Structure formats: structure tokens, C-alpha cells
Amino acid sequence: MTRSIRPLVAGNWKMNGMKADIVIASEVAKGYDAGLKAAVDLAICPPASLLITASVVLVGSRIATGGQDCSTQGSGAFTGEISAAMLADAGASFAIVGHSERRTLHGESNATVKAKAEAAQKALLVPIVCVGETKDEREAGKALAVVKKQLRGSIPDGATGATLVVAYEPVWAIGTGLTPTAADVAEMHEAIRAELGRLLGKAAAAGVRLLYGGSVKPSNAVELMNVANVDGALVGGASLKAEEFLAIARACG
Ligand code: 13P
């Protein structure tokens, strides 16, 4: 953890969740007790179809909601797209942008991710900009270079700790049960903080929350969350179980 930064644990439900599953959000709210509230911020990013409902269910809980993507555009003839302002209107405070599933399956470039992050900021959402290397890139010793390049291409100019969150999600760790070693996470998060310092200035970079994502579970959360420069987690599968999500949050407390 970075002691001066309040950690954030965000759940990315991905394309999971029918309206009955809103109960997961209520259970997380029930378990977000005074001790946890004092220690860690929580956010739930359900599919767009459940965003308003989740925001309503979570009113008064101090748990934020977020979208999983947003359009680069403000409004208009963009069938199937959702604007950042629409997410904000549905109660969201965050928008995940540049998730590896979007980068890979939808061919999103760094420039697209940057435009989405800027669109989110314009709507007063905090973008959670995702970066991370593939297995081949790690094995070739290119992980740091790949992630730094993604940061240079995707981070909005002038961002600060109040307007930006970065999530390091190694592609090979997502949904696989595999995680990098604590030493590898430490090396990467230190490099991310340093690169943000070059891009945004040291003072701004010092306040940006750097989340780790990829197979975070209650069983590995304490080790991962105690790594220097890890300021929380972006959780996929385990965020669909309230008890597991809360246990991960407790690891930050
Ligand atoms: P898992 O926690 O299921 O590995 O997913 C991580 C992720 O992609 C969060 O955005």
C-alpha cells in the first residue's frame, strides 16, 4: 500500500449479472461496516443494464458505482455506445477504460483509450485506465516497456490523483488463477508511478491510485495489497461473491 493514499477496491462484473444479482451489491453494502469504511473505498461496476439499479441500491452506502467502458463521443448516432455523461446520469462515479478485453476483443488502441478517459473526465467521472502485458511480452522481458508505452499513449494530460486511477492487469493473470510474484508487482507498480511522474509531474503522480487486477482472491489479497505502490484492487470473478469481495476489501484495511 501507499500509506498516504486511501485504497480503492473496485469490482468489475464484466458481462455477468441479471437484475436478481443486485442482491450482491446489497450484501456488499451490508458488510461495508464502519471499520471498512474508515479504511477503504469500494466501487461496483456492473453491466450497463444494471447501473441505475445498482446506484439506487447503494445510495447512502458510500459505495460508488462505475461503468465498464464509455464512448469517446458525447452523444448522437453511435448505436450501441454509452456516453460518459449517461454513466454519470445513471449514478456512476467511475468508468473503466482500456480493459484488456476491450483492447483485445474490440481492437482499442492507446489513442482510443485516452479519448475515452478524457470523455470520462469531461463528464466528471474518474477513469480507471487499465494497462498490462501479455504472457508472451512478459516472457520476452518486455513487460515494463509495454506498460510504459500504454501509459504514455492512454493517460489523459493533466490528470491528478483526484481525476485518475490506473489499474495494472497482466493479461495472463486475468481469470486464470495465475498471479505475478509480489516482487514483479512491486517492480511494475514502482515503474508505473515513475512513468506517471514523467507524464503528470511527481506531485500529481504521487496521488494516483494504482490498482492491481488479475485473479485477486481472498487467499492472495493480503500479500498483493501489501506490496508497495499497490493502492487497491480491480476484481473480476471474486467481485460476484459479496463475501469474497468484502474479504479482499478487508485485506486493504
Ligand atoms: P479476474 O479477477 O476474474 O481475474 O478479472 C480481473 C479483471 O479483469 C478485472 O478487471
Side-chain angles (χ1 to χ4, degrees), residues 133-143 168 172 184 188:
E133 82 286 356
T134 63
K135 188 164 181 278
D136 285 352
E137 289 163 343
R138 171 144 303 261
E139 285 171 358
K142 293 183 184 155
Y168 168 56
W172 52 272
D184 283 344
M188 182 61 82

Side-chain angles (χ1 to χ4, degrees), residues 202-215:
K202 263 198 150 182
V208 175
R209 292 192 277 197
L210 307 185
L211 312 185
Y212 168 79
S215 296

Side-chain angles (χ1 to χ4, degrees), residues 12 14 96 99 101 169 173-176 213-216 234-238:
N12 174 9
K14 308 193 180 184
I96 298 169
H99 191 281
E101 288 148 21
E169 298 205 312
I174 295 176
T176 58
S215 296
V216 180
L234 183 55
V235 185

Side-chain angles (χ1 to χ4, degrees), residues 32-69:
Y32 190 42
D33 56 26
L36 267 184
K37 277 184 184 150
V40 54
D41 286 337
L42 296 186
I44 292 177
C45 304
S49 56
L50 295 180
L51 186 55
I52 293 185
T53 316
S55 300
V56 169
V57 161
L58 294 172
V59 163
S61 71
R62 285 175 43 195
I63 299 173
T65 59
Q68 298 176 8
D69 180 38

Side-chain angles (χ1 to χ4, degrees), residues 130-190:
C130 301
V131 293
E133 82 286 356
T134 63
K135 188 164 181 278
D136 285 352
E137 289 163 343
R138 171 144 303 261
E139 285 171 358
K142 293 183 184 155
L144 291 175
V146 165
V147 167
K148 283 186 205 171
K149 187 171 177 205
Q150 287 176 331
L151 289 170
R152 286 195 292 274
S154 348
I155 295 300
D157 304 328
T160 68
T163 62
L164 175 69
V165 173
V166 171
Y168 168 56
E169 298 205 312
V171 178
W172 52 272
I174 295 176
T176 58
L178 302 173
T179 51
T181 63
D184 283 344
V185 175
E187 181 187 42
M188 182 61 82
H189 278 235
E190 188 183 352

